[in-house]
Amino acid sequence: MKPYREWLGANAYEAKASLGGSFVSKNIEDYYLSPYELGYGSVVKFDHDFIGREALEKLSKTKRRKKVTLAWNGDDVARLFRTLFVGGHGPSAKYMDMPSAVYSTLPYDKVTVGGKTVGISTWTGYSFNERSMLSLAMIDEDHAAIGNEVTVVWGEENGGTSKPTVERHVQTEVRATVGPVPYNEVARTAYRAT
């Protein structure tokens, strides 16, 4: 990864994009996703030579994370919103915009089970059709079964960063249920082959 990051121009998208959320790692590789984690493994073909082939072949044989949809617990989301309206000027949860709750270019919120990080949640938003806050997530295959309960940690560490889009807040845990991708049944069954 180091040669790639050194090659990356100062004005490249990745060099300028803001990171946000509760997931924090000192290893930049933890912020990159493989085609397998994104559900594109079926289109990776090894019938020709290409740059990165050896790395992808190695990744194809390793245990990895799986892309899922997380349906955030409605009571927990309502509790989060309640903190924005009560308590005077004391700490509240990280502000959650609707319909899209994305406040950085690259949102990464940690997903936990029993306090252990098992993946990341990205691109959170409200779906009126599903009456739920939903997010895409890449989580360890051991926890990716439909119906499993996980926890999303909403908000940044230490009360938030100094980014202008981040107000002072406290991190809030939100229960979520693992669901399929796409989440909507019609989209899943009629728009694409599974």
Side-chain angles (χ1 to χ4, degrees):
M1 184 63 71
K2 186 175 181 181
Y4 169 70
R5 294 293 294 187
E6 289 172 342
W7 168 84
L8 198 63
N11 289 323
Y13 175 80
E14 292 170 62
K16 295 170 92 176
S18 63
L19 283 171
S22 60
F23 179 79
V24 176
S25 175
K26 292 183 183 203
N27 181 1
I28 191 68
E29 292 179 16
D30 290 340
Y31 293 93
Y32 284 83
L33 301 167
S34 78
Y36 302 105
E37 293 172 312
L38 294 171
Y40 300 136
S42 63
V43 299
V44 177
K45 304 294 181 206
F46 298 112
D47 58 358
H48 62 287
D49 286 331
F50 57 90
I51 295 172
R53 176 181 172 156
E54 186 178 317
L56 281 177
E57 284 178 320
K58 187 185 289 183
L59 282 173
S60 72
K61 297 173 177 81
T62 62
K63 195 170 187 178
R64 56 188 164 265
R65 297 179 290 189
K66 180 180 179 182
K67 183 168 73 171
V68 298
T69 302
L70 298 181
W72 294 31
N73 179 283
D75 290 334
D76 288 359
V77 172
R79 176 179 44 80
L80 184 153
F81 270 98
R82 184 169 171 26
T83 71
L84 304 176
F85 297 98
V86 297
H89 296 285
S92 66
K94 169 75 186 91
Y95 174 71
M96 183 178 280
D97 207 357
M98 286 180 63
S100 177
V102 177
Y103 62 90
S104 66
T105 311
L106 303 170
Y108 284 83
D109 289 304
K110 65 182 166 183
V111 177
T112 65
V113 171
K116 178 182 179 245
T117 300
V118 298
I120 57 169
S121 168
T122 66
W123 298 103
T124 303
Y126 178 73
S127 168
F128 182 80
N129 292 339
E130 302 300 333
R131 301 295 198 276
S132 181
M133 290 300 284
L134 301 173
S135 63
L136 286 178
M138 278 53 67
I139 62 175
D140 295 346
E141 288 182 335
D142 294 344
H143 301 284
I146 305 300
N148 279 359
E149 188 171 284
V150 297
T151 300
V152 177
V153 179
W154 176 252
E156 297 184 337
E157 290 183 336
N158 304 316
T161 59
S162 60
K163 290 189 289 291
T165 55
V166 179
E167 72 291 346
R168 300 307 295 163
H169 64 274
V170 294
Q171 286 185 322
T172 305
E173 291 188 347
V174 178
R175 293 171 291 167
T177 303
V178 175
V181 175
Y183 190 74
N184 179 276
E185 184 177 358
V186 172
R188 194 171 56 254
T189 59
Y191 294 172
R192 73 173 194 144
T194 54

